[in-house]
């Protein structure tokens, strides 16, 4: 294999290896593999106690970025949320009418507003954060999601398994 290349194919991804005189891999190149999702920093955060939770667009957001917003609010199931246009609910969890948490996503367009306003009924106290992720899959940016709830001050996150190539995992 000295000085030769060998290619392996898995689905639409092809990886080509260059070997040295002892058959050891020197270099690899890939085609067809998606970009690795990368969190842009800083994320934006805000708190308040009105009927509108507003968060600034994360710094450095460009067209095609996956925007993810997490909204924690009091009054749980007694508060309805109306997201800004273009935002899709990933998951909402309420702990009765005490507190709730909702996560939304959208792909950034060429012209994004400076901030995003999520309307809330019953004017609860709230906290919101928004992050931009580059390199996310354009049509299926969220592979899996799950939840856990409880009380007692010792929260635990459930485990998840995902199979998407180039995935990025994050949580509150």
């Amino acid at each position: 294999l000295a000085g030769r290349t060998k290619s392996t194919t898995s689905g639409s991804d092809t990886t080509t290896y260059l070997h040295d005189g002892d058959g050891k891999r020197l270099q690899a190149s890939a085609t067809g593999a998606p970009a690795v999702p990368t969190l842009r920093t800083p994320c934006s955060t805000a708190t308040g106690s009105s009927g509108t939770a507003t968060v600034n667009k994360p710094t450095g957001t460009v067209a095609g970025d996956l925007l993810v917003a997490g909204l924690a609010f009091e009054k749980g199931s007694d508060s309805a949320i109306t997201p800004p246009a273009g935002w899709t609910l990933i998951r909402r969890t309420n702990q009765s009418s005490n507190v709730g948490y909702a996560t939304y996503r959208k792909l950034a367009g060429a012209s994004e507003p400076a901030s995003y306003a999520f309307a809330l009924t019953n004017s609860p106290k709230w906290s919101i954060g928004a992050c931009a992720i580059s390199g996310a899959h354009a049509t299926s940016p969220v592979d899996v999601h799950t939840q856990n709830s409880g009380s007692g001050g010792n929260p635990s996150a459930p485990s998840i398994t995902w199979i998407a190539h180039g995935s990025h995992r994050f949580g509150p």
Side-chain angles (χ1 to χ4, degrees), residues 142-145 159-170:
V142 177
D143 185 30
V144 295
H145 54 87
S159 63
I160 61 170
T161 302
W162 74 98
I163 58 171
H165 180 72
S167 294
H168 187 77
R169 177 174 36 184
F170 60 94

Side-chain angles (χ1 to χ4, degrees), residues 91-106:
R91 179 178 290 276
R92 177 175 172 162
T93 303
N94 295 313
Q95 200 275 326
S96 185
S97 60
N98 296 320
V99 7
Y101 190 85
T103 309
Y104 291 86
R105 68 172 173 87
K106 86 174 293 258

Side-chain angles (χ1 to χ4, degrees), residues 71-143:
L71 174 60
F73 51 96
E74 69 174 6
K75 301 181 183 175
S77 58
D78 287 344
S79 291
I81 303 170
T82 302
W87 287 83
T88 301
L89 180 67
I90 297 172
R91 179 178 290 276
R92 177 175 172 162
T93 303
N94 295 313
Q95 200 275 326
S96 185
S97 60
N98 296 320
V99 7
Y101 190 85
T103 309
Y104 291 86
R105 68 172 173 87
K106 86 174 293 258
L107 288 177
S111 178
E112 288 295 319
S115 63
Y116 305 100
F118 293 75
L120 295 152
T121 60
N122 294 325
S123 298
K125 293 178 183 174
W126 50 263
S127 178
I128 190 169
C131 294
I133 301 169
S134 66
H137 193 278
T139 57
S140 299
V142 177
D143 185 30

Side-chain angles (χ1 to χ4, degrees), residues 1-8 15-29:
L1 289 176
R4 301 186 64 186
T5 61
K6 180 178 180 185
S7 296
T8 59
T15 304
T16 302
Y17 300 97
L18 175 64
H19 297 268
D20 69 6
D22 295 326
K24 295 179 184 173
R25 293 180 181 168
L26 295 176
Q27 181 180 356
S29 63

